[in-house]
Amino acid sequence: MFNRVVRALRGSNDKQTNRDANADRWTIDNPHVGSHVDSLSHFTEAAEKITHLRRQDRYEEAEAVLKWCLNQAARDQEVTKPPAGYYKQLAILYRKQDRYEDEVELIEHYIKTAPNPREDLVERLERAKSLIDCTQ
């Protein structure tokens, strides 16, 4: 709330313009995502559901919930940096499914939008790129 007031007083909405442009970056194409997120009031409440789905090897549903979280974070004016934890969880899902290109695209997007990207995700990007090279 405070950050929103400060931005309004400054008259700057450049970050919001970028957020709007990236809000639907990770589209949700799973029809069952609603049953997992309907009870959530904020994307930060999804961690337990994601863990539960991953432990049950329900990767498609976990991916859909993670994408929903990333979209919600991109729209939230009070979020000042992308949620690295959700990006990492989605990258892990992609790697488990040998979806290295998706992993690279995801992490590159994170690095581009994060003011100070986490080192573990930068290293993960390098490893994913090397895995692509190994499979070709």
Side-chain angles (χ1 to χ4, degrees):
M1 179 72 168
F2 176 76
N3 290 336
R4 194 178 318 160
V5 172
V6 170
R7 278 194 294 267
L9 291 173
R10 288 184 185 158
S12 173
N13 63 359
D14 291 340
K15 281 189 176 182
Q16 185 57 40
T17 302
N18 288 338
R19 286 181 194 285
D20 292 342
N22 290 320
D24 293 317
R25 174 85 171 128
W26 308 109
T27 58
I28 301 168
D29 51 6
N30 188 313
H32 303 294
V33 71
S35 63
H36 297 293
V37 299
D38 287 343
S39 63
L40 304 176
S41 61
H42 196 263
F43 71 90
T44 56
E45 299 172 358
E48 188 174 315
K49 288 185 183 287
I50 294 164
T51 301
H52 176 73
L53 292 169
R54 286 182 57 224
R55 286 185 179 156
Q56 292 185 334
D57 295 334
R58 294 165 60 186
Y59 296 141
E60 285 184 28
E61 292 170 78
E63 177 183 355
V65 174
L66 283 161
K67 287 179 178 181
W68 177 86
C69 291
L70 295 177
N71 285 334
Q72 295 301 310
R75 288 186 176 97
D76 191 333
Q77 294 180 3
E78 294 184 9
V79 175
T80 58
K81 58 184 180 178
Y86 289 130
Y87 277 93
K88 184 171 183 178
Q89 292 301 314
L90 188 51
I92 290 169
L93 282 181
Y94 287 155
R95 178 135 348 141
K96 283 185 177 190
Q97 299 172 62
D98 299 329
R99 293 171 57 187
Y100 308 123
E101 292 87 3
D102 291 334
E103 182 180 2
V104 167
E105 180 184 356
L106 174 76
I107 298 172
E108 284 177 342
H109 175 73
Y110 163 74
I111 290 171
K112 184 176 79 176
T113 58
N116 296 310
R118 282 185 13 189
E119 186 61 32
D120 62 329
L121 285 168
V122 173
E123 291 171 3
R124 186 172 195 90
L125 174 62
E126 293 169 16
R127 177 69 179 139
K129 285 180 177 180
S130 70
L131 288 169
I132 290 173
D133 291 340
C134 289
T135 60
Q136 292 180 352

